[in-house]
Amino acid sequence: MDWRQLWEIISAPDNVPIVALIPLLAFYIFLAWRQANANDQLIAQLEGDAALAKTHHRKAWPFQPGWQKEVHVWPFLLRMEFLAAIIVTIILMVWSITLNAPLEEPANPNLTMNPAKAPWYFLGLQEMLVYFDPWIAGVVMPTLIIFGLMVIPYIDTNPLGCGYYTWKQRKFAIATFLFGFIVLWVSMIVIGTFIRGPGWQWFWPGQTWDHNRLIYEVNRDLPDLFGITSNWAKGVFGALVVGGYYAVGGLVVHALYWRHNPKNYQRKSLLQYSLMMFFLLTMVALPIKILFRHLLHVKYVWITPWFNV
Amino acid sequence: MAERPVPQDDPVVSKSLAPHYVIAMVVLMATLFWALWDENFGQRPWKTFQQEWKTRYSVFLERARSKSSDSQKNVEGSSEYQALKTAYDQINQAASPHAREINEKLRDLSAQILAVQNIFTDRRAYVSALTYSIETETSASSRQRQQRNLDKYKQVVTTVEYPDGSRHDFNYDQLEENYNDLKNQRTALGTELVEVLKPLNTAKEKLDAYVSEHMVNLTPAQIRGLLNKTEAWSPQIQQINVAEANIVDRCESCHMGIREPVQLTAAAMSLRGKKPDEYARAFTSHPEPELLQTHDPEKFGCSPCHQGNGRATTSVEKAHGNYEHWLWPLFPKGNSEAGCQTCHAADMKLVSGDIEWQIINQGKDLYRQRGCMGCHRYEGYDKEPEDLLSIAQQIKQLEQQKKESLKQSAELMKQADAAASNEEANRLNDHAVALKVANSKVDLRIVQLDHASKSLLQDMKKVGPNLKDARLKLNRNWIPVWLKKPSAFRPTTKMPDFRLSDDQIKTISAFLWQSALTDALPKHQPGNAAHGKDLFETRGCLGCHSIGEGEQLEGAHFAANLTRVGEKDNYDYLVRWVHNARQRTRPYCPYEKKDIGPEDYKKKNLPYAFDLDHSRCPNDGHELQVQNMTVMPSLRLSVQDAEDVATYLVSLKRREPSEYPDASYMDDAELRNEGKKWVRHFGCAGCHEISGLEEEGRIGTELTVEGSKPIERLDFALLTEVAQRGGHEPITDPDDQARLPEGPARKPWYDHKGFFEHKLAEPDIWDQGKIKPETEKLRMPNLHMDKDQVQALTTFLMGSQESGLPLSYKYQPLDYRRDIQEGWWIVQKYNCVGCHQFTPGQKTALMSVRRYRDAQEQLPPQLLTEGARVDPEWLLHFLKNPALNDSDTNRNGVRSYLQVRMPTFSFSDNELGKLVRFFQALSRQPLPYIPEAPPPLTAKETEMARSLFSSTAAPCLKCHATGDPAHDRTATAPNFLLAKQRLKSDWMERWIIDPQAISPGTSMPSGLFKRENDRWVFSGPTPASFQGYDKDQSKLLVDYILQLTAEEQRRVAGAMDTHTRQVAARQPPRRWPLSNVNVLKNRVSVLMKFQTTEEVQNNMTNKMTKKLEIAILGLPLLAGVFSLAACGKKEPAEEQPAASTPAATTPATPIDPATAATVSGTVKFDGAAPKPAKIDMSQDPNCKGANAAENLVISDGHLANVFVYVKEGLGNRTFETPKDAVTLTQIGCKYSPHVLGVVAGQTVKIVNGDPTTHNIHPTPKDNREWNESQAPQAAALEKSFAREEILLPVKCNQHPWMKMYINVVKNPFYAVSATDGKFEIKGLPPGDYTLAFVHEKLGEQDQKVTLAAKDSKTVDVSFKQ
């Protein structure tokens, strides 16, 4: 094991945000979970006491008698926020004093770096390029991400859980978020930073990033696996598979959603529901494709002259 | 919220955040201060450097100032200064009253002007404003009105109050007039003051100039200036900004001392009593200030030469570029000369002033010598094949053009015949004629190109031998053994080790054997090996070749070591090679691409003869390669001599050729093709001529800009990680590891330096761990170089960069410097430096050869000022034919007395031209040179000049050859008759005045002329006819020599010899040292082939006896000189202990005279005393001393002339140099004393007590060499020796037997044993000492002795033969 290599990556000034991201993410999820848990218990208690539920707006558990039912933003929230602002200022100042901007040599068009990596916040997108063609990974997917994020308020019909931590009241939303953020975004950044070495090859942590490494890997298109040769047939087959995915996946999700989340289902219009379905299935498609690639060496599923999926 | 009481236990409401805020704010403020500190100091480490610089440099300057004022006092104490000072004072006194008066007037005037000025300028402003309104007023009436206002204003009267209190009223015009008047007065007074002070200022300037000229260091005033500057310094970035070259260097922000006018060393800049630290090393001044003179930092900055990140200021690592992302880190110390290569890639040799840049020069040279250029193209190296190709193409094109023109002109003429009108016909005819004329021009161009290609073919050389001759030359069975590992057979060979497998060796040797020519060589009879050995050692072969192995190795590594030549070479081939190495078996035609044989010549009915004069191909008329492509010249040996040398060389072997294992498989035709494949694969044709592979390209990568290749492009293969991490050296072979300049790698070496060093140390290193087929393995062979060579080549490659500087920064001179640049390529190519010295201090290969160690005058001439010395026309002639004679070529043209031979190099016309221009340019001589005829001499002048020429004080013909074989045998200088053609008269004049300055160490003595009344006057006695002659006597002599005829020379020589001949018979035959006899024998045998050896010897000794001279002049010896000589020996030893006091620099305990001890003793000689050798002094009739040699003086078993001194035990005591001089006398043509002791720096007074001219010539190792002539009764020479040196030999160029030894020691405790063997050293402080006893012949013995206070001990030693 080449721990020195790992240390070199971890200690690079470029990678400070990513390295920090991992423990911070864990910490804040833990914090959120603790708050949500407390709130959920309070909600349970309040639901048992109708009178209290009417007047109670402050979510704190265990709630002590005599505590105020409401606290004002000023000064109680703002003083905390200001303190946080000071601490963040300190962190940023120390960071900027101790670590210089990681500038490199002048760009040389005759000699590109290897691996050539995007800024850390784009590494997820770069990693997607491995699995989809540039049109899908570079244009369609980012657009869908933005639209998907924009659309959330309009398809979120759940009136509960606003302004406080809760799990029980927003299971679906939080699970979807965690899936999208941690699995699809953060983990891909982590892979791009720590796993992808020279030639964008997959190096496990502790493996030396050897520029001379040679691996043998053949990725085939899904139609090829089924012996389809004609281009037309490939397009039709791919469309069928993708369409089938959306149809079958939609049915499965529908069954689950309908069963576990009937209230929200009922609150949604058809447009809201189908939008949600589309974005959710597209999101899930990404890790499925990643698994297809890594486990089955499938390059593309749907091949057309204009795009490949 | 206010109405309800807040419960105390609600944490959100009740808990105070004050402590959190306090802590956060404190941390925030701390961070703020940290940020401020970082901004000011953390990011600006140079500020600390500059503060440190201020303190250290001030301390240094303070120290320097006190030293400097001491030396200023010394300067000011001199009489010249005092004279200047008195002059200055006088002028000062004369001028000062007047000056004071004018100054007072000026002061008054200035005050008056001030008073008027205030009022006047105010009024003038008003007038100007009014005038402007008038000018811009539109209506005439208002203009008039304004004009009236102005006139009125001008009439207004104002009062001026003068400084003395008086008041005056002026209107505007008066005021203006008054003001101008005052100002004019002031100007006049100012001019007057300047006039008055002028002589004073001139005197002051002279005074200051005198001080600064005579101070070795800076004057105190200058140092004070530096001190003030340093103290007033406030930290700031020091930046050199050259916009056009994009140089922004801030290096001097830390390296503050780089350009200071004083020499700063790390030790001088260290804190008192501390070792040099980081700061001290950063503050040193540039080690080569003269480099900065030619590379002005204001134009060049620092980074173009040194690299590094000139802009960075935040840390040392950043600034030096020692981080991953800076592509051009500072060149490491050992490779710093790589910086030269970035701009001086076109130079073969870098010499600044007369100092050579050894490392880069060695690198440049190795690149050629080791045959790197055979595989790797490098701009400028081995251009000939490329040029030849382009010329061939041009010729082809021109011929095509010619053909077409002919066709077209025929066509045109046909058209003209058929033309409708006469005009049309004429026009067409004219066109046709024009084409024909153009064709004749093309023809001329082709002739020129052919000529150029002849030169190129002649210049084209290969590093290795011609393998077409393999069959003729080599022992067949030796070839596989050689190929296995060339360095095993001959450790110094240029042929690298190719790591060949046995199969490869088999096939390669079979191919080489079968592809070689099979012509027959003429047979030769074996010669005389002893004579051959002698020729080999004396003719200068060792200037390029070496011989012997291990300790015995002698000579140069330019060409092969010949120790085992007998095992491999064919005798007949060797004879041809020694006779003329360029002689080729068959000529090669580059157009037909084949070797031309007799059959081709026969076809054209031509005789089968080819050489440089017959170099046209019989088939196509183009130039042929008629020479072997070797730089080995012809030594113009006769065939018989060549046979002798070859016989000697063939006798050199460790095993018999027949002992080699049989390799008859080399005749197996099946191996041939496989062998050719491998020969091609390994690029053998890069260095060798091989049949069928003449046009092979280079197999390696081009290296012209290898140093700027991105590191990613250098393939470290599986060792990338190892190199990046360091700590483990992949080269395990101890031989290869020893080649790494810095030893096994400890630190990371993932950089260009690391790559080159490892590659050169073990070229197949990147194959480590790789699995590759044989054909893909790295081909670069192991060049078996040593550390220094690897370092030099690494430096060369690191500097081979595509620099970002503008083209004008590259060294591409167009003037004489270009000739120098081009010349060095040739000089290095033919290894002229193996025999000749081109720059002072350059060591030639011959200098280190044992034979020449004591016979420096037998070395080839120094060429330090060759261009200024000789006529370029003559030089061209000489370089073409160094024998200067078409029939008798077995000789040297100029220095016929030298054993070593200037060979015939057969330079091409191109190279001849370049060489002549090179020598002229090296001495800055303008070209063309038009010699001036010497002015004709009057009869009286001729007579005077003749008396100088034949003066006994400067017997020119004693050393210079005359052409008379009897005389020339002892000559050591060229014949004067050559001077007319050869020398430039102005150079001759400078030469006879001070030859030592031109050619240090030459046998020609300095001091023949002295400066008197602004002209050069002969130092020796001159006849009465010289009275009233007021021109330069040196010039007279030169003019005489330039007009000297053979007849005149014979007459003068005859007159000088007359006396000697009469007594010759009475003198015993002169005994020559054996080696000299051999030398002479050879030379005579060359001249008189018909005689047997004994005859020669007899003949020679007879002739020699004629040379002997008797004393004719007996001047009474000066009694005073005798007495001086007698006491000179003991004097210093007795007096110095008292005078010695500890020096100021390193304090040592003073020697207390009360406790001083004495050592005395006797030096004995064990065994029978050999009879003292007799010296033959008959050469000079004025020499009438005792003729016993003094190298072993023994009487009654006591040994004299042993030098005894305290070698160890005095610690770091230093002693003051004794003020008294020691005297060395020349009396009876001997040095007296024979062994002299002197403290370093002490004056040695040299007196000539003989009626003949002596020539004192010390030949030290560690001191400065000089050589001066001393006429009889001339003033004593005062010399000193600065450095310790035991047994420093002193000889006399006039009298070869005169020899003595000076011992320069550091302390005054020494003695010389007297004839009774006794010696005594007094005044030693108590302690443990090592006494050394040194004798010139019997070596050194050391004795330990312990002395207590007031001790008196006896130490006896005895020497054995």
Side-chain angles (χ1 to χ4, degrees), chain A residues 4-307:
Chain A
R4 184 175 159 149
Q5 172 85 61
L6 191 63
W7 168 245
E8 270 167 15
I9 305 165
I10 289 175
S11 62
D14 319 38
N15 295 338
V16 169
I18 303 154
V19 174
L21 187 68
I22 297 166
L24 285 176
L25 199 63
F27 173 69
Y28 282 111
I29 288 174
F30 159 74
L31 206 63
W33 175 80
R34 217 178 64 162
Q35 295 268 25
N37 191 35
N39 279 343
D40 286 346
Q41 291 190 41
L42 176 69
I43 290 165
Q45 189 194 8
L46 291 177
E47 276 169 354
D49 185 345
L52 199 59
K54 290 269 182 223
T55 55
H56 201 86
H57 294 288
R58 187 172 160 201
K59 301 283 187 283
W61 176 261
F63 189 73
Q64 304 293 330
W67 282 13
Q68 282 192 349
K69 288 180 183 167
E70 302 175 316
V71 276
H72 288 269
V73 166
W74 173 257
F76 302 115
L77 176 63
L78 280 176
R79 64 177 194 175
M80 294 286 250
E81 287 180 344
F82 189 56
L83 188 64
I86 292 173
I87 292 168
V88 169
T89 310
I90 291 170
I91 292 171
L92 284 176
M93 277 172 78
V94 172
W95 187 352
S96 63
I97 292 171
T98 49
L99 291 180
N100 286 328
L103 296 178
E104 297 183 359
E105 64 262 27
N108 179 356
N110 294 318
L111 185 80
T112 46
M113 57 200 297
N114 184 8
K117 290 189 178 179
W120 65 272
Y121 39 84
F122 278 147
L123 275 176
L125 284 178
Q126 200 182 358
E127 178 66 17
M128 265 160 53
L129 282 167
V130 174
Y131 310 104
F132 297 98
D133 84 6
W135 166 242
I136 301 290
V139 180
V140 176
M141 291 285 216
T143 314
L144 287 182
I145 291 170
I146 292 166
F147 274 98
L149 290 170
M150 282 163 68
V151 117
I152 287 173
Y154 302 101
I155 58 174
D156 178 17
T157 51
N158 187 353
L160 296 176
C162 292
Y164 55 89
Y165 293 95
T166 178
W167 164 244
K168 282 191 176 150
Q169 292 178 348
R170 298 193 71 89
K171 280 182 192 164
F172 176 73
I174 291 171
T176 312
F177 164 77
L178 286 180
F179 172 72
F181 184 61
I182 295 178
V183 178
L184 295 191
W185 196 241
V186 176
S187 67
M188 293 234 286
I189 288 175
V190 170
I191 289 173
T193 310
F194 299 113
I195 306 291
R196 292 299 185 176
W200 210 255
Q201 290 177 6
W202 189 283
F203 289 86
W204 291 106
Q207 223 180 338
T208 306
W209 285 13
D210 185 354
H211 283 254
N212 299 295
R213 185 194 192 206
L214 296 172
I215 50 168
Y216 179 77
E217 204 177 79
V218 178
N219 295 318
R220 281 158 300 173
D221 295 328
L222 193 64
D224 295 340
L225 286 176
F226 287 88
I228 298 164
T229 48
S230 134
N231 284 343
W232 276 106
K234 278 184 183 177
V236 172
F237 174 80
L240 285 177
V241 173
V242 173
Y245 163 73
Y246 275 98
V248 176
L251 285 175
V252 172
V253 173
H254 174 72
L256 291 171
Y257 199 81
W258 184 70
R259 193 157 147 209
H260 293 288
N261 220 350
K263 272 191 198 162
N264 281 331
Y265 177 64
Q266 281 155 16
R267 285 195 200 109
K268 280 190 167 78
S269 69
L270 179 63
L271 182 65
Q272 283 175 317
Y273 188 61
S274 43
L275 270 177
M276 186 209 76
M277 275 295 200
F278 171 69
F279 283 117
L280 184 68
L281 286 170
T282 309
M283 228 162 97
V284 173
L286 182 65
I288 291 178
K289 181 73 201 292
I290 292 176
L291 289 175
F292 257 52
R293 166 62 59 83
H294 286 298
L295 299 179
L296 304 175
H297 294 298
V298 170
K299 195 176 180 195
Y300 293 128
V301 172
W302 186 11
I303 298 149
T304 71
W306 311 280
F307 64 86

